[in-house]
Amino acid sequence: MSLLDMIQNSGQQMLPDHYKSIPVQEMETRVRKIKESLGSKVFIPGHHYQKDEVIQFADVTGDSLQLAQVSAKNSKAEYIVFCGVHFMAETADILTGDGQKVILPDMRAGCSMADMANIDQTERGWEEMQQAVGDTIIPLTYVNSTAAIKSFVGKNGGATVTSSNAKKMLEWAFTQKERILFLPDQHLGRNTAYDLGIPLDQMAVWDPILERFEYDGDLDKIRVILWKGHCSVHENFTIGNVEDIRTSDPEVNIIVHPECSREVVALSDYAGSTKYIIEKISNAEPGTKWAVGTEMNLVNRLTKQHSDKKVFSLNPQMCPCLTMNRIDLPHLLWTMETIEKGDVLNQIKVDSEISKWAKVALERMLERV
Ligand code: 13P
Ligand code: SF4
C-alpha cells in the first residue's frame, strides 16, 4: 500500500484552519506550556532534517539510527510525538511498548524514497531473483522503507541498515549469504559496497517497474543487487555542482551524504551519514570552508552554528526535503493540544504480524551497532 493509500484509509485528520493564523510567538508559548505540564508523559524525538521551529522543542535530536536507539530505550513516555517522517515513526512504534502511542503530527510527512519500494513489488522481485540465482541472497533494507518491507527482510534472514552502519551491516550480510539485495536506495547500497571493495561490474540494478535486472557481463558474478530507488533530495547534487566549487575555490572541502550518486561521492572529499557530516564540520578548524551535500534545514543549521567557518550547500539552488517540512509549528501545537485534551490524532500503528518480523530485522541491526 502506498503512503497516499495509507493516508486515505487511515482516517487521518487535517490541521484545523485556525492554527494557520496564530502568531508564531503565541504558538511557541503554547507548545512550551503544554510540554512543561505534560512532563515525561510526552517525548519528542526530532530528526536533524526538521525545521528549527520544531527542533527547538525536541527532547532529543539525531539521525535515523540515533532516533531508533532512543525510541527503543524510552519505555516511560505515553506519547511519542515523532518529528520526522512516516517510516521513522513506524520504526518508533515497532520498538516501543504496547501502551505507548507514536504520533506523526502530519500524516503527509512521507518519504519519496520509501515510496519507491512496495511490498508487492518486493515479493515479486524476490521470486524472480530466486529463480535467477537460487537461494544465494540475503535482503537488507535501509530504514527508509515501509514496515512491511522491514518485515519481509526480517522473515528472510536479513536486517535493516542506516547510513551510519551500512558498511558494518553489509560485512555481516556477506557472512550469511553470497549475494545481497539492497533496498530501496541504490546509491547508499552502491557507495557502501564500493567502499568494501566490490567492483561496480559486480553490482546489478533491479528495476521494480520493468521487473528486470540491469547489469553488464555475467549474472553469476553479481554480488550486490541494488533496488532502483533514490532520494529525491540527495539526487539533486551533481557532478556540475562539484566542478563549480573546485573551479571557484579549491580550498573548499566537499562533504556529502552517501544517498548522493556514486559519481558525486567519488569526486567529493568526504562522504558519510548525517551524524558524520555534523561531527566532521563541528571538529573542523576555524576558517575552513565546507560545501555540504545534504538536506537544507541541516545545512542552514550548520551555517548558523559554525559562524567561525564557511558552511554552505553544495547546490546553491537546493530546497529542504518537502516531506520533512510537513512537520511545522502549527502541526506540533495542534498535536500537543490534542494530547492535552486526552485525545490522540494521527497515531502510527503498525500491524502486529508485520511489526513482529520488522522488529527482528531492526534488532539484528541494533545488536550490531
Ligand atoms: P540518516 O539520518 O541515516 O543520515 O538518513 C538521512 C535521511 O535521508 C533521512 O531521511
Ligand atoms: Fe526521504 Fe530523502 Fe527526504 Fe530523507 S531526505 S525523508 S530519504 S526524501
Side-chain angles (χ1 to χ4, degrees), residues 223-367:
R223 297 181 64 203
V224 180
I225 302 167
L226 304 163
W227 191 269
K228 197 171 188 170
H230 61 266
C231 165
S232 36
V233 172
H234 289 89
E235 75 159 5
N236 290 322
F237 297 103
T238 63
I239 295 175
N241 295 145
V242 177
E243 286 169 352
D244 287 349
I245 301 276
R246 297 291 190 217
T247 316
S248 62
D249 189 347
E251 281 184 10
V252 172
N253 295 286
I254 300 181
I255 185 164
V256 300
H257 194 281
E259 286 174 20
C260 293
S261 72
R262 173 76 224 130
E263 294 77 8
V264 168
V265 168
L267 292 173
S268 300
D269 299 305
Y270 307 96
S273 68
T274 304
K275 180 169 176 260
Y276 171 86
I277 293 173
I278 294 171
E279 286 175 358
K280 192 86 192 164
I281 294 177
S282 304
N283 296 332
E285 291 294 317
T288 50
K289 301 176 204 173
W290 296 85
V292 189
T294 195
E295 202 278 334
M296 207 56 214
N297 286 322
L298 174 59
V299 177
N300 285 337
R301 192 169 303 123
L302 288 169
T303 305
K304 269 194 242 156
Q305 285 170 347
H306 300 284
S307 52
D308 59 335
K309 299 160 203 169
K310 192 165 180 238
V311 182
F312 56 96
S313 177
L314 174 59
N315 177 348
Q317 315 295 340
M318 199 62 193
C319 299
C321 171
L322 293 177
T323 50
M324 282 278 179
N325 267 14
R326 295 274 189 197
I327 312 296
D328 56 11
L329 191 51
H331 281 87
L332 182 59
L333 174 61
W334 176 46
T335 302
M336 297 296 276
E337 293 195 332
T338 310
I339 294 173
E340 195 185 32
K341 283 189 225 141
D343 293 336
V344 177
L345 286 173
N346 297 337
Q347 185 181 353
I348 301 293
K349 189 97 205 71
V350 179
D351 166 88
S352 60
E353 183 61 19
I354 291 179
S355 187
K356 183 175 106 189
W357 285 106
K359 195 170 182 185
V360 170
L362 283 160
E363 280 174 348
R364 282 191 187 121
M365 170 184 79
L366 292 172
E367 71 202 23

Side-chain angles (χ1 to χ4, degrees), residues 47 49 63-64 87-88 142 144 163 257 259 273-274 324:
H47 190 272
Y49 294 175
D63 65 4
S64 308
F87 71 80
M88 296 177 184
Y142 193 15
N144 302 26
S163 55
H257 194 281
E259 286 174 20
S273 68
T274 304
M324 282 278 179

